[in-house]
Each structure stands twice: as C-alpha cells, then as structure tokens.
Amino acid sequence: MSWLILLASGVLEAVWATALGRSDGFTRLTPSIVFGVALVGSMAGLAVAMKDLPIGTAYAVWLASALR
C-alpha cells in the first residue's frame, strides 16, 4: 500500500508544480487552490509512505514519478 501512496504522491507533486506555474504569482484563484491541495496531499502521502519505506528510496521514487 505504501508504494501506491508514494506513486500517487509523486503524481500530485507534478500537479502542484504545474499549478504553481499557472497561478501567475497566486493571482489566479483556481490554480492557487489546486496548488495548495496538491502540495498538502503530496507531502502527506510522502510522509505516510516513508513510515514503511527507506527515506532515500521513497524520495527517489517520489521524484521520479513526478518527472513522468
């Protein structure tokens, strides 16, 4: 289950990075809200996954899944 949470967190990391760019300095409401929700979800999922997985492995997979 930790692996699925980790992969979902990686996808959310790509979502918040994209939303950050589209928020135009947080002047656009919808991308700013998407950014905040995706950021919290991504970090929370990474934290949950790191309870069962080694930190280095979890971070590498989280980052790699965001780059796809």
Side-chain angles (χ1 to χ4, degrees), residues 6-57:
L6 184 61
L7 291 174
S9 296
V11 170
L12 284 175
E13 198 238 345
V15 169
W16 72 251
T18 302
L20 179 61
R22 293 185 179 184
S23 70
D24 291 329
F26 299 111
T27 59
R28 296 180 59 212
L29 182 60
T30 303
S32 298
I33 291 171
V34 170
F35 165 77
V37 171
L39 177 68
V40 170
S42 178
M43 296 299 160
L46 178 61
V48 168
M50 285 193 308
K51 289 180 181 179
D52 293 328
L53 302 171
I55 291 172
T57 302

